[in-house]
């Protein structure tokens, strides 16, 4: 894979790759009638002034952790907003929640600092039938998770959230 599609800080594929690949992966899931899940997540640590942020060493640890945890068929990406997007092949929402939880636990072992992880999970066909609907549902779930203030993995609902 060319470096043009890679995030220099994490080595993961970038936002452009995520947005180009997602519709193709959803179409393939539809053709073979298999689930596919989109996860939008961010990992932050408490800064010295009390703000939460994702410094380069943490972003790098997230990239390594996702690469080590996920299967070859899965797609971990660094999004333009500094968060992360995952495309999990042949994975329903419950499998995605377990995957994100395993990632959270492994990251907590490596970096026991005060880390917050927020994730939104949306699955085809439950939460959307095309890439745009799935990504919107995952983002709504992400914003719902963020409202809790502490680590949370939120699964999308069938209806749009009022906070979105």
């Amino acid at each position: 894979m060319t470096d043009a599609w890679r995030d220099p800080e994490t080595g993961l594929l970038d936002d452009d790759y995520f947005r180009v690949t997602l519709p193709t992966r959803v179409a393939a899931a539809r053709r073979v009638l298999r689930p596919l899940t989109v996860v939008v997540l961010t990992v932050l640590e408490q800064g010295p002034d009390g703000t939460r942020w994702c410094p380069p060493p943490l972003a790098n640890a997230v990239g390594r952790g996702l690469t080590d945890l996920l299967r070859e068929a899965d797609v971990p990406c660094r999004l333009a907003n500094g968060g992360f997007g995952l495309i999990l092949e042949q994975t329903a929402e419950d499998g995605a929640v377990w995957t994100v939880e395993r990632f959270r636990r492994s990251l907590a072992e490596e970096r026991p600092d005060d880390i917050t992880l927020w994730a939104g999970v949306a699955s085809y066909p439950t939460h959307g039938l095309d890439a745009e609907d799935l990504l919107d549902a995952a983002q709504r779930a992400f914003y719902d998770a963020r409202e809790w203030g502490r680590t949370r993995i939120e699964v999308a609902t069938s209806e749009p959230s009022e906070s979105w």
Side-chain angles (χ1 to χ4, degrees), residues 13-151:
L13 295 164
D14 66 9
D15 188 81
D16 291 334
Y17 186 88
F18 182 81
R19 292 181 188 281
V20 166
T21 300
L22 183 59
T24 306
R25 299 291 179 109
V26 173
R30 186 178 313 117
R31 265 192 317 278
V32 296
L33 301 174
R34 297 235 169 110
L36 175 127
T37 297
V38 174
V39 177
V40 176
L41 68 90
T42 194
V43 180
L44 304 171
E45 71 179 27
Q46 189 101 10
D49 60 354
T51 59
R52 294 179 178 163
W53 67 308
C54 187
L58 177 58
N60 191 278
V62 170
R64 279 192 327 274
L66 290 172
T67 301
D68 291 346
L69 175 72
L70 298 178
R71 304 165 297 183
E72 279 189 31
D74 298 328
V75 182
C77 296
R78 181 81 186 268
L79 302 179
N81 65 6
F84 300 87
L86 312 177
I87 302 170
L88 305 178
E89 294 280 344
Q90 298 183 23
T91 305
E93 64 190 55
D94 56 344
V97 169
W98 278 108
T99 299
V100 174
E101 178 58 21
R102 276 195 327 269
F103 167 69
R104 185 200 63 78
R105 287 180 185 181
S106 71
L107 191 61
E109 287 175 10
E110 182 181 329
R111 299 182 58 95
D113 326 3
D114 183 22
I115 290 179
T116 302
L117 179 144
W118 292 312
V121 174
S123 297
Y124 166 85
T126 306
H127 304 111
L129 298 177
D130 64 29
E132 187 177 325
D133 289 345
L134 276 179
L135 187 53
D136 285 347
Q139 288 173 330
R140 283 193 310 271
F142 170 79
Y143 287 113
D144 289 345
R146 208 171 72 172
E147 297 224 352
W148 284 80
R150 61 181 194 275
T151 293

